Amino acid sequence: MTTSMPDTDTLSAMLSRHAPREGVWPTALPRLWIIRLDAPGGELAHAVQPASLCVIAQGAKEVLLGDERYVYDATRFMVFTTDLPVSARVTEATPAQPYLCLRLDFDAEEVAELVARSGPPKAPVAPREGGEGDDPGRGLFVSAVTSEMLDASARLMRLLDHPEDQAALAAMAMRELVYRVLRSDQGERLAQVARADSQTQRVHRAIRWLKAHYAQPLRIESLAKEAHMSASSLHHHFRALTSMSPLQYQKQLRLQEARRLLIAEGLEVARAGHAVGYESPSQFSREYSRLYGAPPSRDAAKRRDTPAARFTA
């Protein structure tokens, strides 16, 4: 007996049931999130997006990485192959038809195991839908949603309604969804991060170090040693993956963490800047204003009432 593939309306209904209001909703399954927004965003929101798969069931969103613009909706999924500081906003959403997105954060060991067991993915196909100025080495991409990916997404969501099945089936359902990404026309780009000693994997190692030590002074030679690369090779491949230099990446991490401290924890401006590594309050305020369009205190006061969903893909 054959069964029909679920459509996006079916997936939307499941996502909406588990995300009844605007917000970023954790689920009973580790690494699985549901994001809902009931209206388009105005200003761009900034966040460090984790390595993850984002499948939209309803609505649309644009993501900016530097000067590059990526658009995805119910026909295209987005993948972040590494943690990236991005800007984003929802472009299509209404209370009757909210933006609904499923996000599955990747587990590096799971990806590596699937790459080893499933064989080489397809070579990247150009042009990639939804990306403007896209580079084949970038750490994010969009690709067409297939019926197999939609089916895997729906089965994963159904497990939320059957907790008695989660222990036996959740890991397999997540693995299948990651497998569908690896078998997509851009799957090789995710596989590169999982391959030991690839240049992409070495840059990923540098990114992990930066995330753990963003408040410390950055010495490129030390970071290159951590990544097992020369300084010039690190600069080249780091920019290819992230569209920015290691120093620019560190600055994004610092400013986004400072913003979190200001908004979520109510720290004073000078303390927030010092906590993320700025010795000069004036430099902190200047760079913060350049990124977010307003001084730290004014921006934080405005953002405290903004739904958290606007800060993630």
Side-chain angles (χ1 to χ4, degrees):
M1 183 176 94
T2 60
T3 58
S4 60
M5 294 293 181
D7 56 23
T8 53
D9 289 341
T10 301
L11 185 58
S12 295
M14 289 189 284
L15 291 172
S16 183
R17 188 166 64 253
H18 291 281
R21 298 180 304 280
E22 286 194 315
V24 180
W25 293 79
T27 71
L29 302 180
R31 302 189 286 120
L32 180 65
W33 305 78
I34 302 170
I35 301 122
R36 173 176 177 155
L37 277 174
D38 294 344
E43 299 177 8
L44 287 167
H46 301 262
V48 178
Q49 182 70 15
S52 56
L53 162 68
C54 300
V55 179
I56 292 178
Q58 194 167 260
K61 197 164 195 175
E62 65 175 351
V63 174
L64 302 182
L65 178 66
D67 295 330
E68 298 170 0
R69 177 175 177 265
Y70 300 80
V71 178
Y72 69 121
D73 54 23
T75 68
R76 296 181 288 261
F77 65 90
M78 174 166 277
V79 165
F80 296 81
T81 65
T82 192
D83 299 349
L84 288 175
V86 297
S87 306
R89 65 182 152 212
V90 168
T91 56
E92 294 180 16
T94 67
Q97 293 186 308
Y99 169 84
L100 293 165
C101 177
L102 172 157
R103 191 187 93 200
L104 178 65
D105 296 344
F106 292 128
D107 176 271
E109 292 184 1
E110 179 182 75
V111 175
E113 181 184 350
L114 283 169
V115 169
R117 298 184 66 175
S118 62
K122 300 177 183 177
V125 176
R128 283 159 293 283
E129 296 183 39
E132 299 175 7
D134 190 13
D135 184 287
R138 286 288 184 262
L140 78 166
F141 63 85
V142 291
S143 194
V145 171
T146 63
S147 58
E148 291 82 7
M149 178 171 284
L150 197 60
D151 183 46
S153 299
R155 279 189 279 108
L156 183 58
M157 284 299 303
R158 287 193 189 101
L159 285 175
L160 297 180
D161 296 325
H162 298 280
E164 71 279 7
D165 296 333
Q166 291 173 11
L169 301 178
M172 287 188 291
M174 289 182 180
R175 285 167 61 87
E176 181 184 356
L177 200 46
V178 176
Y179 172 81
R180 295 301 173 190
V181 175
L182 289 168
R183 305 316 292 179
S184 72
D185 60 1
Q186 302 300 319
E188 172 62 22
R189 299 169 76 171
L190 177 60
Q192 281 292 330
V193 179
R195 291 200 175 98
D197 252 6
S198 69
Q199 298 287 14
T200 301
Q201 204 275 341
R202 291 180 182 184
V203 172
H204 189 62
R205 189 181 302 151
I207 287 174
R208 288 199 303 269
W209 190 94
L210 282 171
K211 288 189 67 183
H213 304 90
Y214 62 85
Q216 298 179 12
L218 177 58
R219 297 178 177 84
I220 294 298
E221 293 75 12
S222 298
L223 184 62
K225 184 177 180 181
E226 181 73 24
H228 299 165
M229 304 173 78
S230 68
S232 60
S233 181
L234 173 64
H235 264 292
H236 173 75
H237 292 286
F238 196 101
R239 186 175 289 277
L241 187 69
T242 70
S243 88
M244 62 193 78
S245 69
L247 187 61
Q248 291 169 325
Y249 189 101
Q250 181 198 47
K251 184 184 296 184
Q252 290 272 345
L253 294 179
R254 285 181 167 184
L255 293 173
Q256 293 198 23
E257 174 60 12
R259 196 186 209 195
R260 187 193 69 80
L261 293 172
L262 289 166
I263 295 171
E265 300 189 19
L267 258 65
E268 296 177 352
V269 172
R271 287 185 61 198
H274 186 266
V276 300
Y278 280 92
E279 296 182 0
S280 167
S282 60
Q283 181 186 3
F284 168 61
S285 183
R286 183 170 59 253
E287 293 186 354
Y288 188 104
S289 299
R290 186 179 300 129
L291 179 61
Y292 297 122
S297 57
R298 189 195 311 164
D299 175 70
K302 178 181 178 181
R303 293 290 173 172
R304 287 190 182 100
D305 296 327
T306 301
R310 300 198 185 277
F311 292 86
T312 188

